[in-house]
Amino acid sequence: MKDKFIQHFGGQVRFSSECKTHFHRLYHNTRDCSKPAYYKRCARLLTRLAMSPLCIHKQD
């Protein structure tokens, strides 16, 4: 249920290989992503992570 809810609010978000560790840390270890009342905040956090300079995949 959590995945569907987060996908609804955050859309389809893809993470680069450099960013997967940060994604898993946020997704599995934060209050925002572990309690249904905070899933909207979790979606916002994951979307911001995907757009951060750390996670933007540069193509050469």
Side-chain angles (χ1 to χ4, degrees):
M1 179 176 151
K2 177 169 65 168
D3 293 331
K4 288 181 182 180
F5 193 86
I6 291 172
Q7 188 174 14
H8 173 73
F9 281 107
Q12 188 71 14
V13 180
R14 300 205 188 277
F15 291 94
S16 64
S17 59
E18 297 88 14
C19 204
K20 286 189 187 235
T21 303
H22 300 289
F23 166 77
H24 285 289
R25 193 173 293 145
L26 273 176
Y27 189 76
H28 295 291
N29 298 324
T30 61
R31 175 190 67 174
D32 295 341
C33 294
S34 62
K35 295 189 178 193
Y38 298 110
Y39 284 171
K40 189 173 182 177
R41 292 173 75 181
C42 179
R44 191 177 321 129
L45 279 173
L46 295 175
T47 303
R48 288 179 62 196
L49 176 65
M51 297 299 177
S52 72
L54 175 72
C55 296
I56 294 177
H57 183 69
K58 296 178 182 175
Q59 294 179 356
D60 295 328

